[in-house]
Amino acid sequence: MTRVAAVDCGTNSIRLLVADADPATGELVDLDRRMTIVRLGQGVDRTGRLAPEALERTFAACREYAAVIKELGAERLRFVATSASRDAENRDDFVRGVLDILGVEPEVISGDQEAEFSFTGATRELTGADGLARPFLVVDIGGGSTEFVVGDDHVRAARSVDVGCVRMTERHLVVDGAVTDPPTHEQVAAIRADIEAALDEAARTVPLAEARTLVGLAGSVTTLSAIAQELPAYDSAAIHHSRVSRARVREITEWLLRSTHAERAAVPSMHPGRVDVIGAGALVLLAIMERTDAQEVVVSEHDILDGIAWSLA
């Protein structure tokens, strides 16, 4: 066993996994897995810069994670940063802050690298699972981007496109500094048009139509599964490897897009940081299912974070 620590810093959240990894058996035993909504990508689509308050929220989470990593005695640490920090003019401020706190430089990885990690993390346990035909299409719906990966045991094709729940919300639903609540039909149509264009772009690289099993990752998808199951609280064990039909995804998405902030916040499994962006994230998933004719999505709690951990093992 090798004790590893993986940090995934995305547009909306930063997450930590400390685990014991055994490459010989393919076993990854969680010691600590946690997530903090920091909204690092706040305003990046509009300004091209990471906001000072967003950086400070992220650094506060890094200080918390540094204490956990030290306490558990991880031998190796890897910090991967994704969409928001790729896009920002002042990414050097972010890199220096992380280095000072955690002692490692964040790796601002490409979308293709992000896709590789996501695929490994999501499918390592699914290989050979009953009833799951291959190839897999893994979709990681993040805050700033969505990764599409098709593969069997290994990645065959991957593409990252700039469509995510935070980016779509900020681009189309924010008016005079506030999120439209609920969005208008015109706003929803504008989001859908962006998603369809992104799917066209992804399809030029990734054979979406060849996939036989759709695997969905990240907070928009896992939260949608929790809503579908009517869970009294967010429950990772109940969500991991759950399956949600396309009809149910459509039903929930339509409700999210006509609901108010208060109605979404009242959902017991809803993280407060997702209340305003979950509608756009659900719409991304629904569009993918319709484009690929997927009748259901297999929901995975294991994703890029687990892929990062395996890369250290």
Side-chain angles (χ1 to χ4, degrees):
M1 289 280 192
T2 303
R3 183 157 296 183
V4 298
V7 179
D8 166 38
C9 186
T11 304
N12 196 43
S13 63
I14 183 170
R15 300 179 301 147
L16 169 69
L17 171 63
V18 181
D20 286 331
D22 186 346
T25 64
E27 186 178 21
L28 194 68
V29 179
D30 289 12
L31 300 174
D32 196 296
R33 187 187 290 261
R34 61 182 67 193
M35 181 270 290
T36 310
I37 299 284
V38 294
R39 200 65 64 84
L40 178 62
Q42 172 192 331
V44 165
D45 193 54
R46 177 176 52 84
T47 67
R49 297 180 62 82
L50 298 168
E53 60 270 28
L55 283 169
E56 184 44 48
R57 290 192 298 267
T58 305
F59 295 154
C62 287
R63 286 187 281 271
E64 173 193 327
Y65 291 179
V68 174
I69 292 166
K70 182 178 180 181
E71 179 184 350
L72 292 176
E75 302 166 45
R76 301 174 187 173
L77 166 63
R78 190 170 188 178
F79 187 114
V80 166
T82 53
S83 180
S85 49
R86 275 202 305 269
D87 300 339
E89 295 172 5
N90 59 335
R91 67 175 65 178
D92 288 348
D93 296 340
F94 169 68
V95 171
R96 282 194 299 270
V98 172
L99 182 59
D100 287 346
I101 296 166
L102 287 167
V104 296
E105 283 197 21
E107 299 175 55
V108 183
I109 62 173
S110 70
D112 287 344
Q113 289 174 300
E114 190 174 345
E116 293 268 1
F117 283 140
S118 294
F119 185 83
T120 301
T123 64
R124 193 171 179 116
E125 326 169 277
L126 292 177
T127 303
D130 291 340
L132 295 183
R134 290 186 281 178
F136 299 115
L137 169 60
V138 175
V139 293
D140 187 342
I141 303 172
S145 62
T146 295
E147 282 63 55
F148 295 83
V149 197
V150 165
D152 297 286
D153 295 328
H154 302 287
V155 172
R156 284 169 41 188
R159 184 68 178 266
S160 177
V161 295
D162 286 339
V163 171
C165 60
V166 174
R167 193 185 295 271
M168 291 298 94
T169 299
E170 291 192 344
R171 182 178 295 174
H172 296 293
L173 302 186
V174 175
V175 179
D176 296 329
V179 176
T180 306
D181 188 33
T184 66
H185 292 300
E186 291 76 14
Q187 287 173 316
V188 173
I191 294 175
R192 187 66 187 246
D194 272 5
I195 297 169
E196 293 297 339
L199 285 168
D200 290 341
E201 181 184 341
R204 285 193 282 271
T205 305
V206 179
L208 302 178
E210 293 181 15
R212 293 295 174 264
T213 296
L214 175 66
V215 182
L217 316 183
S220 292
V221 180
T222 58
T223 301
L224 194 144
S225 171
I227 296 171
Q229 297 181 66
E230 300 180 357
L231 297 178
Y234 192 93
D235 182 346
S236 293
I239 292 166
H240 189 48
H241 291 173
S242 61
R243 303 185 188 190
V244 186
S245 71
R246 187 167 80 198
R248 189 75 171 111
V249 169
R250 181 181 295 109
E251 178 186 356
I252 295 168
T253 301
E254 290 174 351
W255 177 80
L256 289 169
L257 291 172
R258 67 173 182 266
S259 63
T260 64
H261 178 98
E263 288 170 332
R264 295 189 300 275
V267 175
S269 55
M270 182 79 68
H271 190 288
R274 298 205 185 278
V275 174
D276 286 331
V277 300
I278 184 66
L283 192 57
V284 174
L285 176 62
L286 178 61
I288 292 168
M289 296 183 79
E290 291 176 347
R291 175 69 69 97
T292 61
D293 198 30
Q295 297 305 306
E296 67 174 13
V297 58
V298 178
V299 181
S300 179
E301 284 274 7
H302 293 180
D303 50 26
I304 186 173
L305 196 59
D306 301 76
I308 296 165
W310 279 117
S311 75
L312 289 167

